[in-house]
Amino acid sequence: MTQQDLQTCIDNCTQCHAICIRTIQHCLGKGGRHAQRDHIRLLADCAQICNTSADFMIRGSDLHPLTCGVCAEICQRCGDECEQMADNDQEMRRCADLCHRCADSCRQMAHAHA
């Protein structure tokens, strides 16, 4: 992994954190199944682990592959769930896409340093 790969992963985590926070507000506004507790919790979990993983990488922590591994798992779940709920909702589709991109990036980071 290069310094550029690391920076790309940090950027993906930062963008995913932001979209999940925005999507929580979007889902609460939509109501119904979008506002269900488990879905909101998953979005919040995803936002928080993305922020944490970015912080670990920015600090140069040798433990960042561990946080990236967890981040990849949570982002994959969040992306899958947002994709299932997307229908024609561009906000949900954008969240799913960014979560999946972050999951891929973090998965590569976790495996490269395992």
Side-chain angles (χ1 to χ4, degrees):
M1 289 275 130
T2 67
Q3 190 62 35
Q4 183 56 48
D5 293 327
L6 185 70
Q7 188 58 54
T8 298
C9 193
I10 291 168
D11 292 345
N12 286 337
C13 284
T14 302
Q15 291 171 21
C16 192
H17 168 262
I19 193 74
C20 285
I21 294 295
R22 281 197 303 272
T23 303
I24 288 171
Q25 299 309 307
H26 176 74
C27 287
L28 290 173
K30 283 191 81 146
R33 68 186 181 125
H34 286 83
Q36 288 179 343
R37 182 177 297 152
D38 289 346
H39 179 62
I40 298 299
R41 182 184 306 125
L42 182 56
L43 284 162
D45 286 350
C46 191
Q48 187 164 11
I49 194 63
C50 285
N51 203 38
T52 299
S53 288
D55 285 352
F56 270 62
M57 288 183 280
I58 290 165
R59 281 195 302 269
S61 172
D62 62 342
L63 297 174
H64 84 264
L66 298 175
T67 59
C68 284
V70 173
C71 190
E73 174 69 24
I74 294 172
C75 285
Q76 186 66 49
R77 286 187 194 180
C78 192
D80 291 350
E81 193 166 293
C82 285
E83 192 171 60
Q84 289 170 359
M85 293 183 155
D87 299 320
N88 291 323
D89 188 326
Q90 288 305 309
E91 194 70 22
M92 297 301 290
R93 172 112 4 250
R94 196 169 18 257
C95 189
D97 291 347
L98 281 171
C99 284
H100 286 145
R101 184 181 343 153
C102 190
D104 291 344
S105 184
C106 280
R107 200 172 294 112
Q108 289 174 0
M109 197 59 63
H111 291 294
H113 296 280

